[in-house]
Amino acid sequence: MAENSSKMTIWAHIDELRKRLFVAVIALAVTTGISFAIVPWLLDILTVPVGGIQNLQSIEITENIGVFMRISLLSGFILAFPIIIAQVLIFIAPGLEKNEKRWIFITIPVATLLFVAGAAFAYFVMLPVAIPYLISFLGVPTTPRLLSYIKFTTSLIFWLGVGFELPIVVFALAKFRLVTPQTLLKQWRIAIVIISILAAAITPTIDPVNMVILMLPLFLLYLISILFAFIAVR
């Protein structure tokens, strides 16, 4: 009986996961479809760091369609992010204690705010520094391809948005007793090394200035994560 019960529990979890994934995918599809209407506006915004869309060029026939879909997906993901996070939290909610479930209502807006903050940091801080540097490198006149530029900007915005979720991730790890705030405080030197590696991987340029610009907020997020860990263990 215990084995059958265990099997049913596993299948119940799989079925619940399927439902949550289905809702998240539907939400992403709907918000991506809504984003179709604002792609021209978003394209104008994304091309500001390069001086406008007139400074870009398309070469392949399907390039503009690829750009359209990529911008729509990024916009759709940002709009659907609260719903996606909510589905993840609803899935793990049955394993939480009653007094822990209240954190779900706090986590959704905080996680959304952190992702938007990361995206904003990429757009307002990283791109205005990186784009002129890359275009003027070696003094060779450069006219970027539209698809290449949009891949570059959307990837940077997305991954910095994900990177800014660090406090939420640490909070969850601390809640499940996988890390402690004391350990995080003691290992700050290792954290700097890891942050520098992440900054080197995410930073679109190879110069140390852009790396430092990215490392500073990431280290600040690490300190905020320690605070979140203290809150979690309490």
mmCIF file of all heavy atoms in Angstrom, residues 121 125-127 129-131 133-134 152 156 160 164 191-220:
data_model
loop_
_atom_site.group_PDB
_atom_site.id
_atom_site.type_symbol
_atom_site.label_atom_id
_atom_site.label_comp_id
_atom_site.label_asym_id
_atom_site.label_seq_id
_atom_site.Cartn_x
_atom_site.Cartn_y
_atom_site.Cartn_z
ATOM 1 N N PHE A 121 18.679 47.865 -15.906
ATOM 2 C CA PHE A 121 20.117 48.096 -15.752
ATOM 3 C C PHE A 121 20.848 47.780 -17.059
ATOM 4 O O PHE A 121 21.754 48.520 -17.470
ATOM 5 C CB PHE A 121 20.664 47.224 -14.627
ATOM 6 C CG PHE A 121 22.137 47.404 -14.386
ATOM 7 C CD1 PHE A 121 22.599 48.464 -13.622
ATOM 8 C CD2 PHE A 121 23.061 46.516 -14.935
ATOM 9 C CE1 PHE A 121 23.952 48.641 -13.402
ATOM 10 C CE2 PHE A 121 24.419 46.685 -14.721
ATOM 11 C CZ PHE A 121 24.866 47.749 -13.958
ATOM 12 N N VAL A 125 22.220 51.241 -18.489
ATOM 13 C CA VAL A 125 23.609 51.348 -18.033
ATOM 14 C C VAL A 125 24.578 50.599 -18.942
ATOM 15 O O VAL A 125 25.556 51.175 -19.436
ATOM 16 C CB VAL A 125 23.749 50.843 -16.582
ATOM 17 C CG1 VAL A 125 25.210 50.937 -16.123
ATOM 18 C CG2 VAL A 125 22.855 51.641 -15.644
ATOM 19 N N MET A 126 24.307 49.297 -19.186
ATOM 20 C CA MET A 126 25.251 48.480 -19.935
ATOM 21 C C MET A 126 25.284 48.829 -21.424
ATOM 22 O O MET A 126 26.360 49.030 -22.000
ATOM 23 C CB MET A 126 24.919 46.999 -19.754
ATOM 24 C CG MET A 126 25.149 46.472 -18.357
ATOM 25 S SD MET A 126 26.876 46.569 -17.823
ATOM 26 C CE MET A 126 27.682 45.536 -19.030
ATOM 27 N N LEU A 127 24.126 48.886 -22.060
ATOM 28 C CA LEU A 127 24.090 49.101 -23.508
ATOM 29 C C LEU A 127 24.661 50.453 -23.932
ATOM 30 O O LEU A 127 25.420 50.512 -24.911
ATOM 31 C CB LEU A 127 22.657 48.934 -24.031
ATOM 32 C CG LEU A 127 22.135 47.502 -24.067
ATOM 33 C CD1 LEU A 127 20.673 47.463 -24.487
ATOM 34 C CD2 LEU A 127 22.974 46.647 -25.012
ATOM 35 N N VAL A 129 27.027 52.025 -22.740
ATOM 36 C CA VAL A 129 28.489 51.960 -22.634
ATOM 37 C C VAL A 129 29.059 50.970 -23.642
ATOM 38 O O VAL A 129 30.071 51.242 -24.298
ATOM 39 C CB VAL A 129 28.907 51.565 -21.200
ATOM 40 C CG1 VAL A 129 30.421 51.390 -21.120
ATOM 41 C CG2 VAL A 129 28.450 52.619 -20.206
ATOM 42 N N ALA A 130 28.412 49.819 -23.786
ATOM 43 C CA ALA A 130 28.955 48.742 -24.606
ATOM 44 C C ALA A 130 28.832 49.013 -26.105
ATOM 45 O O ALA A 130 29.782 48.759 -26.862
ATOM 46 C CB ALA A 130 28.248 47.427 -24.267
ATOM 47 N N ILE A 131 27.679 49.514 -26.546
ATOM 48 C CA ILE A 131 27.444 49.681 -27.982
ATOM 49 C C ILE A 131 28.450 50.638 -28.621
ATOM 50 O O ILE A 131 29.091 50.286 -29.624
ATOM 51 C CB ILE A 131 26.000 50.143 -28.248
ATOM 52 C CG1 ILE A 131 24.998 49.063 -27.810
ATOM 53 C CG2 ILE A 131 25.808 50.469 -29.729
ATOM 54 C CD1 ILE A 131 25.152 47.749 -28.522
ATOM 55 N N TYR A 133 31.390 51.445 -27.644
ATOM 56 C CA TYR A 133 32.720 50.835 -27.558
ATOM 57 C C TYR A 133 32.909 49.804 -28.661
ATOM 58 O O TYR A 133 33.943 49.780 -29.339
ATOM 59 C CB TYR A 133 32.898 50.193 -26.184
ATOM 60 C CG TYR A 133 34.185 49.410 -26.040
ATOM 61 C CD1 TYR A 133 35.377 50.058 -25.704
ATOM 62 C CD2 TYR A 133 34.209 48.032 -26.258
ATOM 63 C CE1 TYR A 133 36.559 49.333 -25.580
ATOM 64 C CE2 TYR A 133 35.386 47.309 -26.138
ATOM 65 C CZ TYR A 133 36.555 47.963 -25.795
ATOM 66 O OH TYR A 133 37.719 47.251 -25.690
ATOM 67 N N LEU A 134 31.920 48.944 -28.855
ATOM 68 C CA LEU A 134 32.037 47.882 -29.847
ATOM 69 C C LEU A 134 32.039 48.427 -31.274
ATOM 70 O O LEU A 134 32.777 47.944 -32.142
ATOM 71 C CB LEU A 134 30.884 46.883 -29.677
ATOM 72 C CG LEU A 134 30.914 46.053 -28.385
ATOM 73 C CD1 LEU A 134 29.628 45.257 -28.237
ATOM 74 C CD2 LEU A 134 32.118 45.122 -28.381
ATOM 75 N N PHE A 152 21.886 40.550 -29.656
ATOM 76 C CA PHE A 152 22.822 41.043 -28.651
ATOM 77 C C PHE A 152 22.088 41.755 -27.519
ATOM 78 O O PHE A 152 22.295 41.458 -26.337
ATOM 79 C CB PHE A 152 23.810 41.988 -29.343
ATOM 80 C CG PHE A 152 24.769 42.672 -28.415
ATOM 81 C CD1 PHE A 152 25.906 42.024 -27.967
ATOM 82 C CD2 PHE A 152 24.546 43.975 -27.998
ATOM 83 C CE1 PHE A 152 26.796 42.654 -27.115
ATOM 84 C CE2 PHE A 152 25.421 44.602 -27.144
ATOM 85 C CZ PHE A 152 26.553 43.949 -26.708
ATOM 86 N N LEU A 156 21.287 40.291 -23.606
ATOM 87 C CA LEU A 156 21.837 41.001 -22.461
ATOM 88 C C LEU A 156 20.729 41.383 -21.480
ATOM 89 O O LEU A 156 20.865 41.208 -20.261
ATOM 90 C CB LEU A 156 22.587 42.247 -22.923
ATOM 91 C CG LEU A 156 23.338 43.024 -21.837
ATOM 92 C CD1 LEU A 156 24.464 42.179 -21.247
ATOM 93 C CD2 LEU A 156 23.904 44.328 -22.401
ATOM 94 N N LEU A 160 20.567 39.550 -17.712
ATOM 95 C CA LEU A 160 20.731 40.414 -16.543
ATOM 96 C C LEU A 160 19.464 40.392 -15.695
ATOM 97 O O LEU A 160 19.534 40.456 -14.468
ATOM 98 C CB LEU A 160 21.070 41.838 -16.971
ATOM 99 C CG LEU A 160 22.559 42.120 -17.178
ATOM 100 C CD1 LEU A 160 22.792 43.541 -17.645
ATOM 101 C CD2 LEU A 160 23.342 41.857 -15.907
ATOM 102 N N PHE A 164 19.526 39.146 -11.771
ATOM 103 C CA PHE A 164 19.040 39.955 -10.649
ATOM 104 C C PHE A 164 18.075 39.175 -9.752
ATOM 105 O O PHE A 164 17.617 39.704 -8.731
ATOM 106 C CB PHE A 164 18.358 41.218 -11.166
ATOM 107 C CG PHE A 164 19.303 42.380 -11.325
ATOM 108 C CD1 PHE A 164 20.459 42.266 -12.078
ATOM 109 C CD2 PHE A 164 19.041 43.608 -10.719
ATOM 110 C CE1 PHE A 164 21.333 43.331 -12.230
ATOM 111 C CE2 PHE A 164 19.897 44.673 -10.859
ATOM 112 C CZ PHE A 164 21.054 44.535 -11.611
ATOM 113 N N ALA A 191 32.678 34.551 -3.478
ATOM 114 C CA ALA A 191 31.566 35.168 -4.213
ATOM 115 C C ALA A 191 32.081 36.188 -5.229
ATOM 116 O O ALA A 191 31.567 36.264 -6.353
ATOM 117 C CB ALA A 191 30.602 35.838 -3.237
ATOM 118 N N ILE A 192 33.088 36.956 -4.855
ATOM 119 C CA ILE A 192 33.650 37.943 -5.774
ATOM 120 C C ILE A 192 34.252 37.262 -6.995
ATOM 121 O O ILE A 192 34.100 37.725 -8.135
ATOM 122 C CB ILE A 192 34.705 38.806 -5.054
ATOM 123 C CG1 ILE A 192 34.021 39.718 -4.028
ATOM 124 C CG2 ILE A 192 35.495 39.651 -6.064
ATOM 125 C CD1 ILE A 192 34.985 40.593 -3.251
ATOM 126 N N VAL A 193 34.944 36.143 -6.768
ATOM 127 C CA VAL A 193 35.531 35.402 -7.885
ATOM 128 C C VAL A 193 34.437 34.889 -8.821
ATOM 129 O O VAL A 193 34.527 35.031 -10.048
ATOM 130 C CB VAL A 193 36.386 34.218 -7.369
ATOM 131 C CG1 VAL A 193 36.869 33.362 -8.531
ATOM 132 C CG2 VAL A 193 37.566 34.731 -6.560
ATOM 133 N N ILE A 194 33.375 34.314 -8.233
ATOM 134 C CA ILE A 194 32.270 33.796 -9.049
ATOM 135 C C ILE A 194 31.578 34.926 -9.793
ATOM 136 O O ILE A 194 31.239 34.794 -10.984
ATOM 137 C CB ILE A 194 31.268 33.036 -8.163
ATOM 138 C CG1 ILE A 194 31.937 31.797 -7.552
ATOM 139 C CG2 ILE A 194 30.037 32.627 -8.970
ATOM 140 C CD1 ILE A 194 31.067 31.055 -6.568
ATOM 141 N N ILE A 195 31.371 36.044 -9.117
ATOM 142 C CA ILE A 195 30.729 37.202 -9.746
ATOM 143 C C ILE A 195 31.571 37.725 -10.909
ATOM 144 O O ILE A 195 31.044 38.097 -11.958
ATOM 145 C CB ILE A 195 30.483 38.310 -8.707
ATOM 146 C CG1 ILE A 195 29.340 37.897 -7.776
ATOM 147 C CG2 ILE A 195 30.149 39.642 -9.384
ATOM 148 C CD1 ILE A 195 29.148 38.826 -6.596
ATOM 149 N N SER A 196 32.892 37.754 -10.735
ATOM 150 C CA SER A 196 33.768 38.218 -11.816
ATOM 151 C C SER A 196 33.684 37.299 -13.026
ATOM 152 O O SER A 196 33.704 37.758 -14.177
ATOM 153 C CB SER A 196 35.207 38.322 -11.327
ATOM 154 O OG SER A 196 35.713 37.052 -10.956
ATOM 155 N N ILE A 197 33.565 35.992 -12.773
ATOM 156 C CA ILE A 197 33.428 35.028 -13.880
ATOM 157 C C ILE A 197 32.093 35.242 -14.597
ATOM 158 O O ILE A 197 32.030 35.250 -15.838
ATOM 159 C CB ILE A 197 33.532 33.584 -13.359
ATOM 160 C CG1 ILE A 197 34.947 33.326 -12.813
ATOM 161 C CG2 ILE A 197 33.204 32.584 -14.463
ATOM 162 C CD1 ILE A 197 35.108 31.982 -12.126
ATOM 163 N N LEU A 198 31.027 35.421 -13.815
ATOM 164 C CA LEU A 198 29.716 35.682 -14.413
ATOM 165 C C LEU A 198 29.720 36.987 -15.194
ATOM 166 O O LEU A 198 29.156 37.061 -16.293
ATOM 167 C CB LEU A 198 28.646 35.725 -13.322
ATOM 168 C CG LEU A 198 28.280 34.404 -12.652
ATOM 169 C CD1 LEU A 198 27.307 34.640 -11.506
ATOM 170 C CD2 LEU A 198 27.683 33.441 -13.668
ATOM 171 N N ALA A 199 30.356 38.003 -14.650
ATOM 172 C CA ALA A 199 30.425 39.297 -15.337
ATOM 173 C C ALA A 199 31.176 39.169 -16.654
ATOM 174 O O ALA A 199 30.783 39.761 -17.662
ATOM 175 C CB ALA A 199 31.099 40.326 -14.439
ATOM 176 N N ALA A 200 32.249 38.378 -16.645
ATOM 177 C CA ALA A 200 33.015 38.172 -17.879
ATOM 178 C C ALA A 200 32.182 37.435 -18.926
ATOM 179 O O ALA A 200 32.303 37.701 -20.125
ATOM 180 C CB ALA A 200 34.284 37.392 -17.575
ATOM 181 N N ALA A 201 31.319 36.500 -18.454
ATOM 182 C CA ALA A 201 30.491 35.733 -19.388
ATOM 183 C C ALA A 201 29.343 36.569 -19.940
ATOM 184 O O ALA A 201 28.982 36.448 -21.111
ATOM 185 C CB ALA A 201 29.944 34.488 -18.697
ATOM 186 N N ILE A 202 28.762 37.423 -19.091
ATOM 187 C CA ILE A 202 27.600 38.211 -19.500
ATOM 188 C C ILE A 202 27.999 39.474 -20.233
ATOM 189 O O ILE A 202 27.344 39.878 -21.194
ATOM 190 C CB ILE A 202 26.733 38.572 -18.272
ATOM 191 C CG1 ILE A 202 26.197 37.300 -17.619
ATOM 192 C CG2 ILE A 202 25.567 39.468 -18.675
ATOM 193 C CD1 ILE A 202 25.445 37.553 -16.327
ATOM 194 N N THR A 203 29.092 40.107 -19.793
ATOM 195 C CA THR A 203 29.509 41.384 -20.362
ATOM 196 C C THR A 203 29.775 41.240 -21.855
ATOM 197 O O THR A 203 30.524 40.361 -22.273
ATOM 198 C CB THR A 203 30.784 41.907 -19.678
ATOM 199 O OG1 THR A 203 30.546 42.002 -18.282
ATOM 200 C CG2 THR A 203 31.148 43.278 -20.203
ATOM 201 N N PRO A 204 29.176 42.110 -22.667
ATOM 202 C CA PRO A 204 29.345 41.997 -24.121
ATOM 203 C C PRO A 204 30.706 42.458 -24.626
ATOM 204 O O PRO A 204 31.047 42.223 -25.778
ATOM 205 C CB PRO A 204 28.230 42.902 -24.663
ATOM 206 C CG PRO A 204 27.990 43.893 -23.574
ATOM 207 C CD PRO A 204 28.225 43.158 -22.285
ATOM 208 N N THR A 205 31.485 43.129 -23.797
ATOM 209 C CA THR A 205 32.795 43.605 -24.214
ATOM 210 C C THR A 205 33.865 42.970 -23.349
ATOM 211 O O THR A 205 33.588 42.393 -22.309
ATOM 212 C CB THR A 205 32.898 45.140 -24.101
ATOM 213 O OG1 THR A 205 32.783 45.510 -22.721
ATOM 214 C CG2 THR A 205 31.778 45.819 -24.879
ATOM 215 N N ILE A 206 35.129 43.116 -23.778
ATOM 216 C CA ILE A 206 36.231 42.478 -23.060
ATOM 217 C C ILE A 206 36.987 43.458 -22.172
ATOM 218 O O ILE A 206 37.943 43.060 -21.515
ATOM 219 C CB ILE A 206 37.218 41.836 -24.061
ATOM 220 C CG1 ILE A 206 37.747 42.897 -25.040
ATOM 221 C CG2 ILE A 206 36.554 40.694 -24.816
ATOM 222 C CD1 ILE A 206 38.820 42.385 -25.975
ATOM 223 N N ASP A 207 36.551 44.717 -22.151
ATOM 224 C CA ASP A 207 37.294 45.690 -21.352
ATOM 225 C C ASP A 207 36.883 45.601 -19.886
ATOM 226 O O ASP A 207 35.746 45.259 -19.559
ATOM 227 C CB ASP A 207 37.055 47.109 -21.878
ATOM 228 C CG ASP A 207 35.610 47.537 -21.718
ATOM 229 O OD1 ASP A 207 34.752 46.915 -22.393
ATOM 230 O OD2 ASP A 207 35.327 48.435 -20.930
ATOM 231 N N PRO A 208 37.794 45.916 -18.961
ATOM 232 C CA PRO A 208 37.507 45.796 -17.526
ATOM 233 C C PRO A 208 36.479 46.797 -17.021
ATOM 234 O O PRO A 208 35.837 46.562 -16.003
ATOM 235 C CB PRO A 208 38.866 46.024 -16.874
ATOM 236 C CG PRO A 208 39.659 46.802 -17.878
ATOM 237 C CD PRO A 208 39.195 46.321 -19.220
ATOM 238 N N VAL A 209 36.320 47.921 -17.718
ATOM 239 C CA VAL A 209 35.372 48.941 -17.262
ATOM 240 C C VAL A 209 33.952 48.384 -17.246
ATOM 241 O O VAL A 209 33.220 48.521 -16.262
ATOM 242 C CB VAL A 209 35.450 50.191 -18.164
ATOM 243 C CG1 VAL A 209 34.369 51.203 -17.748
ATOM 244 C CG2 VAL A 209 36.831 50.827 -18.064
ATOM 245 N N ASN A 210 33.548 47.744 -18.348
ATOM 246 C CA ASN A 210 32.204 47.174 -18.408
ATOM 247 C C ASN A 210 32.034 46.039 -17.413
ATOM 248 O O ASN A 210 30.956 45.854 -16.848
ATOM 249 C CB ASN A 210 31.919 46.663 -19.825
ATOM 250 C CG ASN A 210 31.511 47.775 -20.767
ATOM 251 O OD1 ASN A 210 30.419 48.320 -20.664
ATOM 252 N ND2 ASN A 210 32.401 48.135 -21.668
ATOM 253 N N MET A 211 33.105 45.274 -17.174
ATOM 254 C CA MET A 211 33.027 44.197 -16.188
ATOM 255 C C MET A 211 32.771 44.753 -14.791
ATOM 256 O O MET A 211 31.945 44.241 -14.047
ATOM 257 C CB MET A 211 34.315 43.380 -16.194
ATOM 258 C CG MET A 211 34.414 42.358 -17.304
ATOM 259 S SD MET A 211 35.852 41.282 -17.113
ATOM 260 C CE MET A 211 35.504 40.534 -15.510
ATOM 261 N N VAL A 212 33.483 45.830 -14.453
ATOM 262 C CA VAL A 212 33.305 46.445 -13.133
ATOM 263 C C VAL A 212 31.905 47.020 -12.999
ATOM 264 O O VAL A 212 31.261 46.910 -11.948
ATOM 265 C CB VAL A 212 34.369 47.531 -12.894
ATOM 266 C CG1 VAL A 212 34.067 48.307 -11.613
ATOM 267 C CG2 VAL A 212 35.755 46.910 -12.816
ATOM 268 N N ILE A 213 31.396 47.631 -14.080
ATOM 269 C CA ILE A 213 30.050 48.199 -14.065
ATOM 270 C C ILE A 213 29.019 47.118 -13.745
ATOM 271 O O ILE A 213 28.032 47.360 -13.039
ATOM 272 C CB ILE A 213 29.723 48.867 -15.423
ATOM 273 C CG1 ILE A 213 30.573 50.134 -15.595
ATOM 274 C CG2 ILE A 213 28.242 49.222 -15.511
ATOM 275 C CD1 ILE A 213 30.403 50.788 -16.946
ATOM 276 N N LEU A 214 29.249 45.917 -14.251
ATOM 277 C CA LEU A 214 28.332 44.812 -13.990
ATOM 278 C C LEU A 214 28.598 44.153 -12.645
ATOM 279 O O LEU A 214 27.663 43.722 -11.955
ATOM 280 C CB LEU A 214 28.448 43.770 -15.106
ATOM 281 C CG LEU A 214 27.523 42.553 -15.015
ATOM 282 C CD1 LEU A 214 26.059 42.982 -14.891
ATOM 283 C CD2 LEU A 214 27.710 41.654 -16.216
ATOM 284 N N MET A 215 29.870 44.082 -12.231
ATOM 285 C CA MET A 215 30.207 43.410 -10.975
ATOM 286 C C MET A 215 29.650 44.150 -9.765
ATOM 287 O O MET A 215 29.239 43.515 -8.783
ATOM 288 C CB MET A 215 31.726 43.280 -10.843
ATOM 289 C CG MET A 215 32.339 42.210 -11.722
ATOM 290 S SD MET A 215 34.138 42.162 -11.561
ATOM 291 C CE MET A 215 34.298 41.652 -9.822
ATOM 292 N N LEU A 216 29.624 45.457 -9.807
ATOM 293 C CA LEU A 216 29.165 46.242 -8.655
ATOM 294 C C LEU A 216 27.717 45.923 -8.273
ATOM 295 O O LEU A 216 27.447 45.615 -7.113
ATOM 296 C CB LEU A 216 29.346 47.739 -8.927
ATOM 297 C CG LEU A 216 30.790 48.241 -8.929
ATOM 298 C CD1 LEU A 216 30.848 49.718 -9.305
ATOM 299 C CD2 LEU A 216 31.444 48.013 -7.563
ATOM 300 N N PRO A 217 26.762 45.978 -9.215
ATOM 301 C CA PRO A 217 25.388 45.619 -8.819
ATOM 302 C C PRO A 217 25.238 44.152 -8.439
ATOM 303 O O PRO A 217 24.432 43.812 -7.576
ATOM 304 C CB PRO A 217 24.550 45.972 -10.060
ATOM 305 C CG PRO A 217 25.510 45.949 -11.177
ATOM 306 C CD PRO A 217 26.808 46.427 -10.612
ATOM 307 N N LEU A 218 26.018 43.263 -9.090
ATOM 308 C CA LEU A 218 25.927 41.846 -8.745
ATOM 309 C C LEU A 218 26.430 41.594 -7.318
ATOM 310 O O LEU A 218 25.837 40.798 -6.579
ATOM 311 C CB LEU A 218 26.741 41.005 -9.737
ATOM 312 C CG LEU A 218 26.156 40.871 -11.143
ATOM 313 C CD1 LEU A 218 27.070 40.035 -12.034
ATOM 314 C CD2 LEU A 218 24.759 40.264 -11.106
ATOM 315 N N PHE A 219 27.504 42.287 -6.923
ATOM 316 C CA PHE A 219 27.989 42.131 -5.550
ATOM 317 C C PHE A 219 27.004 42.742 -4.561
ATOM 318 O O PHE A 219 26.797 42.213 -3.468
ATOM 319 C CB PHE A 219 29.367 42.775 -5.391
ATOM 320 C CG PHE A 219 29.985 42.528 -4.042
ATOM 321 C CD1 PHE A 219 30.421 41.258 -3.684
ATOM 322 C CD2 PHE A 219 30.113 43.548 -3.111
ATOM 323 C CE1 PHE A 219 30.974 41.010 -2.435
ATOM 324 C CE2 PHE A 219 30.668 43.310 -1.867
ATOM 325 C CZ PHE A 219 31.105 42.038 -1.527
ATOM 326 N N LEU A 220 26.392 43.866 -4.943
ATOM 327 C CA LEU A 220 25.353 44.450 -4.094
ATOM 328 C C LEU A 220 24.183 43.488 -3.936
ATOM 329 O O LEU A 220 23.639 43.341 -2.833
ATOM 330 C CB LEU A 220 24.872 45.774 -4.704
ATOM 331 C CG LEU A 220 23.741 46.491 -3.956
ATOM 332 C CD1 LEU A 220 24.169 46.857 -2.542
ATOM 333 C CD2 LEU A 220 23.307 47.744 -4.713
#
